[in-house]
Amino acid sequence: MLTTSAGQEDVVDPGRVARGKPVAFEDGVPVYDSGQAPAFLRTKAQLVRVRRKPAPGQRQAAYVYLHWYRTQIALWDPEQSVKMRPLSALQRRQMQARRTCTDCDEVFPVPVWGMCGVCRDREARRQADLRRRTCQDCGTVFRIPAPTSSYGAGMCLACDERLERGRRVAGPLVKRSCRRCLVQLFPLTVWAAMNDREQAMADWHCTPCDREIEQERAEAQRRADRARWDDLGPTIAWAQKILADPDAYAVLDTETTGLTATSRIVEIAVTTASGTVLLDTLLNPGGPIPAASSSIHEITDAMVEGAPTFSEILPRLTEALAGRRIVIYNQEYDTGRLLWELHLHHQAQGTVDFTKHPRYGSPRHAAAQAWLDAQVWEECAMEQYAAFFGDWHDYFGNYTWQELRGGHRALSDTRAVIRLLEEMAAYPSPFDHAQESSAR
């Protein structure tokens, strides 16, 4: 309440007074939290409802934050606004149509865009009832829901019987036909004479379809090979290089007492890439072989009791590897076992010249490391074959290593490596077939 100089009291309209203090100002215009702005101010949408709009050049009276997203909404003084142009008769009819239910013709204060909620629910129930009473195969509408057949709900019994007759006729025919082109493979008399096992093992495709399937599979493989040729091509060239001069390469494999850093070698074999055996012997590890390891390579303590030690066969091993490039499946493991055996060999001789292993940091004799460095090591055959095989592992971002499947004996594993080299070297180039097809 305000008092004038004449002593008269002017009553202030509460709706024109802000309900809270501004939280900020933007270009001199106060910004209020939700519910704190003067009540007489209106948003532009509220002005449109009463057919008014902000006057040209009219400035916002305030801003208000929305409660949830803190979005600013401009507020306008309705007394400064101007009237909007009156709606035409067509616009009034269109607005009336949007607010009118097309089913019950009731007019609502807001647009319903078709049917109102009550009519829409009623229509949905009617359509659901109609679907329950309609056969989904022949379309016949019944007075009660269609009975459930052996093929599921929604199909009448007449359609069920018709489909069952067709199944009895077509079922044996499909079994006797090619699964791809449905050409009959076995006459009925021949099929009836076959027992259940023979019918189950019968060919599912005719010869032309088998040929087409094989061609499609081969073409899909060629496309995949061309897509990863940057990885596949070098592995094939690597194997072809080795087999081009097999006597210049040595394939080495070992069997050990375990997988630890101090596991001992119990068998070692070296062959050329052509399969000539250069060294194949059991080794006495100087201690018991664990049962878990024996169960894998089947080498027991009794078998190695009279076998030579690694120190005794070291000259033969050096001679077998001399002048040859060495191929190993899982090279890192086998070279680690060789380094450990060489370390023990030089330690037994009483030398104390130690160096550190470049990977593990553990002390090793410098002579052991020097022997290892004097050899010429080829790329790891396991990594090369993994890239050739192409089983990509998304998690590790690399090709998955494949099992050698050589029988877990040193000599048989070297021969398995040679078979893998031959498989890789003989693999056809996917580009040769593309050139032949274009030439035709």
Side-chain angles (χ1 to χ4, degrees):
M1 182 176 296
L2 300 176
T3 304
T4 64
S5 60
Q8 296 178 353
E9 296 180 352
D10 292 339
V11 178
V12 178
D13 185 3
R16 303 186 69 85
V17 178
R19 287 166 285 187
K21 294 182 179 181
V23 296
F25 286 89
E26 186 171 327
D27 295 334
V29 179
V31 182
Y32 295 93
D33 273 331
S34 177
Q36 301 299 312
F40 79 99
L41 298 179
R42 296 290 183 268
T43 64
K44 189 175 290 187
Q46 291 172 332
L47 291 176
V48 171
R49 291 175 191 165
V50 295
R51 303 301 300 161
R52 298 187 71 86
K53 64 179 181 179
Q58 180 181 350
R59 192 181 182 193
Q60 296 90 337
Y63 292 100
V64 64
Y65 281 131
L66 288 183
H67 181 65
W68 290 106
Y69 300 103
R70 305 291 290 178
T71 303
Q72 285 187 8
I73 300 295
L75 299 178
W76 309 81
D77 188 347
E79 295 181 358
Q80 300 178 17
S81 63
V82 296
K83 291 184 178 181
M84 297 177 64
R85 186 177 60 182
L87 294 173
S88 65
L90 176 59
Q91 290 174 325
R92 288 195 296 270
R93 287 196 300 271
Q94 290 174 342
M95 292 178 64
Q96 179 80 3
R98 287 195 293 268
R99 293 186 290 110
T100 303
C101 176
T102 57
D103 191 61
C104 63
D105 294 331
E106 183 178 351
V107 180
F108 293 85
V110 295
V112 294
W113 306 102
M115 288 190 294
C116 63
V118 176
C119 295
R120 189 177 291 109
D121 292 342
R122 183 171 60 248
E123 179 64 17
R125 291 193 298 270
R126 189 187 69 81
Q127 292 291 341
D129 178 69
L130 181 63
R131 284 193 298 270
R132 286 193 296 269
R133 295 186 292 109
T134 303
C135 175
Q136 303 301 314
D137 189 66
C138 63
T140 304
V141 180
F142 297 90
R143 289 180 297 176
I144 60 175
T148 301
S149 68
S150 58
Y151 288 92
M155 187 178 296
C156 64
L157 295 179
C159 292
D160 180 69
E161 294 176 358
R162 177 173 53 81
L163 290 177
E164 181 63 23
R165 289 195 301 271
R167 187 188 65 80
R168 289 196 298 267
V169 173
L173 180 61
V174 171
K175 291 181 180 179
R176 295 183 286 112
S177 302
C178 173
R179 299 297 191 268
R180 186 180 176 96
C181 63
L182 297 181
V183 171
Q184 185 174 348
L185 299 177
F186 303 96
L188 183 58
T189 54
V190 175
W191 184 262
M194 299 168 62
N195 56 37
D196 294 341
R197 184 175 179 275
E198 292 173 337
Q199 292 179 357
M201 297 179 61
D203 291 334
W204 282 16
H205 298 101
C206 60
T207 302
C209 288
D210 273 336
R211 191 179 301 112
E212 290 180 5
I213 292 172
E214 180 61 26
Q215 291 175 353
E216 292 172 359
R217 186 204 63 77
E219 182 58 33
Q221 184 63 46
R222 282 190 289 269
R223 287 196 299 269
D225 292 342
R226 288 194 290 268
R228 67 180 197 92
W229 185 250
D230 290 343
D231 294 336
L232 177 62
T235 64
I236 297 176
W238 176 77
Q240 291 173 345
K241 177 192 68 172
I242 294 175
L243 295 182
D245 189 10
D247 291 335
Y249 293 85
V251 183
L252 183 145
D253 189 82
T254 63
E255 299 299 330
T256 64
T257 59
L259 301 176
T260 64
T262 57
S263 297
R264 303 293 302 274
I265 298 176
V266 297
E267 187 178 37
I268 187 169
V270 180
T271 67
T272 63
S274 60
T276 303
V277 179
L278 303 177
L279 176 65
D280 177 28
T281 179
L282 293 170
L283 297 180
N284 190 333
I289 302 175
S293 300
S294 294
S295 64
I296 296 175
H297 49 56
E298 298 181 351
I299 300 175
T300 63
D301 293 332
M303 296 171 61
V304 300
E305 184 176 357
T309 64
F310 180 84
S311 298
E312 294 172 348
I313 62 95
L314 181 57
R316 296 172 55 195
L317 176 63
T318 305
E319 181 183 358
L321 301 180
R324 291 186 172 90
R325 303 179 67 89
I326 308 168
V327 180
I328 301 179
Y329 202 84
N330 195 358
Q331 181 186 105
E332 182 178 353
Y333 174 75
D334 284 88
T335 54
R337 297 306 91 241
L338 289 172
L339 183 60
W340 178 246
E341 291 289 352
L342 290 165
H343 165 74
L344 297 178
H345 165 72
H346 290 288
Q347 188 180 45
Q349 292 181 346
T351 58
V352 292
D353 186 10
F354 287 95
T355 186
K356 283 196 173 182
H357 190 271
R359 172 168 180 151
Y360 301 104
S362 54
R364 294 289 186 271
H365 275 283
Q369 188 65 49
W371 186 94
L372 212 64
D373 295 339
Q375 311 306 319
V376 183
W377 306 98
E378 271 292 326
E379 289 87 350
C380 178
M382 182 173 66
E383 296 179 359
Q384 292 289 320
Y385 187 73
F388 169 82
F389 193 84
D391 185 8
W392 182 259
H393 199 294
D394 290 330
Y395 180 81
F396 294 105
N398 207 339
Y399 292 105
T400 304
W401 295 341
Q402 303 300 314
E403 187 177 352
L404 181 57
R405 301 183 185 279
H408 294 291
R409 291 300 297 267
L411 184 59
S412 61
D413 283 351
T414 59
R415 290 170 176 168
V417 173
I418 296 173
R419 288 195 297 270
L420 295 184
L421 292 173
E422 293 172 348
E423 176 189 351
M424 297 163 64
Y427 196 78
S429 170
F431 299 100
D432 294 343
H433 184 272
Q435 294 173 358
E436 293 175 3
S437 300
S438 61
R440 295 195 190 105

